């Protein structure tokens, strides 16, 4: 069995202010997915009518789904975060599902999921400062007693790290496990049929039929949706908790 699990390919590098920036497979796939999402959104938003039908019904259902999700988790007063949460969800799930069209999912790259987590952390800090002021935000690190300062700092660092590794770990693990199973099934097919003189029949990967499709339902569909939902839920909880309370 010959299975190789490697990082993203580097296609070329370009110079920015003296720094060599690589253009990687992850960056390429992110551009492809971004263009795909943009085209789908423009298509869904075209030709809107007062009485919805066809694609407009789906578009309105999708928008309502995200608004309901934000309202249920963050409250009605935070509905203005819905466009961001919806974008994060779609960018995450479509990126993970891109493996179904032979693209390496960029959510299996730690730098991408860490960026998601850091964006959430910056939003939390910004809301906390906006609500309590710089002094109130800094004071929160020594509440309820100053001796707890190191634990609060560790908590601030642990939140984005856990978010990033949870998302990255699940998607990367699914990719690796699927690759290993495909390789093992290919070896099993070759062992069972390899004795047949006819090369065409001997190379038929009979054991790669069926089981990989079942695994794909979990690793590609269920796991992709679950990880997108989790990172959006955590973002809503953290950001909502950093702002003022409301109805």
């Amino acid at each position: 069995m010959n299975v190789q699990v490697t990082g993203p390919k580097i296609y070329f590098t370009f110079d920015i202010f003296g720094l060599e920036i690589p253009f990687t497979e992850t960056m390429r796939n992110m551009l492809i997915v971004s263009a795909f999402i943009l085209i789908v959104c423009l298509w869904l938003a075209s030709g809107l009518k007062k009485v919805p039908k066809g694609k407009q019904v789906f578009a309105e259902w999708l928008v309502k789904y995200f608004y309901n999700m934000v309202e249920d988790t963050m409250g009605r007063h935070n509905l203005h975060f819905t466009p961001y949460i919806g974008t994060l969800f779609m960018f995450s799930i479509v990126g993970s599902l891109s493996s179904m069209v032979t693209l390496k999912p960029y959510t299996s790259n730690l730098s991408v999921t860490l960026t998601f987590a850091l964006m959430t952390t910056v939003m939390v800090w910004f809301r906390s400062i906006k609500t309590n002021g710089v002094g109130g935000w800094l004071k929160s690190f020594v509440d309820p007693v100053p001796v707890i300062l190191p634990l609060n700092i560790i908590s601030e660092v642990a939140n984005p790290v856990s978010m990033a590794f949870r998302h990255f770990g699940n998607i990367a693990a699914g990719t690796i496990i699927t690759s290993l199973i495909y390789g093992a099934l290919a070896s099993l097919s070759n062992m069972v049929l390899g004795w047949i003189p006819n090369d065409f029949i001997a190379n038929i990967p009979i054991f790669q039929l069926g089981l990989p499709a079942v695994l794909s339902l979990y690793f590609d569909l269920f796991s992709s949706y679950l990880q997108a939902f989790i990172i959006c839920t955590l973002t809503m909880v953290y950001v909502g908790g950093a702002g003022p309370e409301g109805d």
Side-chain angles (χ1 to χ4, degrees):
M1 182 175 68
N2 183 20
V3 177
Q4 294 183 345
V5 180
T6 61
K9 299 177 183 177
I10 298 178
Y11 294 115
F12 58 86
T13 60
F14 51 92
D15 183 89
I16 297 182
F17 302 115
L19 296 175
E20 292 292 330
I21 308 297
F23 183 85
T24 66
E25 183 181 13
T26 297
M27 299 169 68
R28 184 204 66 177
N29 293 349
M30 290 177 69
L31 290 175
I32 293 174
V33 170
S34 298
F36 172 77
I37 293 176
L38 177 61
I39 292 172
V40 171
C41 288
L42 292 175
W43 175 68
L44 290 175
S46 64
L48 299 181
K49 302 181 183 300
K50 291 184 178 180
V51 179
K53 60 180 180 179
K55 64 179 182 179
Q56 186 175 342
V57 174
F58 173 74
E60 292 186 4
W61 172 84
L62 190 62
V63 171
K64 186 177 180 181
Y65 171 81
F66 289 126
Y67 271 96
N68 288 339
M69 185 168 65
V70 172
E71 182 178 356
D72 293 341
T73 307
M74 303 179 70
R76 181 176 291 273
H77 61 295
N78 283 318
L79 284 178
H80 55 281
F81 284 103
T82 303
Y84 172 74
I85 297 300
T87 301
L88 177 62
F89 185 93
M90 296 306 300
F91 197 62
S92 172
I93 191 171
V94 178
S96 299
L97 290 175
S98 63
S99 62
M100 300 182 71
V101 291
T102 70
L103 292 178
K104 186 172 184 177
Y106 52 74
T107 46
S108 65
N109 189 320
L110 181 58
S111 62
V112 174
T113 58
L114 183 59
T115 300
F116 292 165
L118 290 178
M119 289 171 62
T120 296
T121 301
V122 170
M123 293 175 67
V124 169
W125 290 349
F126 177 80
R127 287 208 82 195
S128 182
I129 293 173
K130 184 178 180 181
T131 303
N132 306 307
V134 176
W137 175 62
L138 293 175
K139 184 177 180 296
S140 67
F141 285 93
V142 294
D143 284 337
V145 290
V147 74
I148 206 171
L149 173 63
L151 294 179
N152 284 334
I153 293 177
I154 292 174
S155 177
E156 288 295 314
V157 176
N159 284 340
V161 170
S162 64
M163 287 178 65
F165 274 90
R166 179 187 292 109
H167 199 333
F168 151 77
N170 280 276
I171 302 302
T175 302
I176 293 172
I177 291 173
T178 302
S179 299
L180 292 174
I181 292 176
Y182 264 92
L185 292 176
S187 297
L188 181 61
S189 298
N190 184 65
M191 182 178 66
V192 173
L193 300 179
W195 59 272
I196 299 178
N198 189 304
D199 291 338
F200 175 77
I201 297 178
N203 291 323
I204 295 177
I206 57 172
F207 291 104
Q208 286 184 320
L209 303 176
L211 180 58
V214 175
L215 293 175
S216 179
L217 291 177
Y218 175 79
F219 289 119
D220 291 331
L221 295 179
F222 177 73
S223 184
S224 297
Y225 172 83
L226 183 62
Q227 295 310 312
F229 182 80
I230 289 175
I231 196 169
C232 287
T233 300
L234 291 175
T235 296
M236 290 186 289
V237 170
Y238 292 152
V239 175
E245 295 183 359
D247 297 331

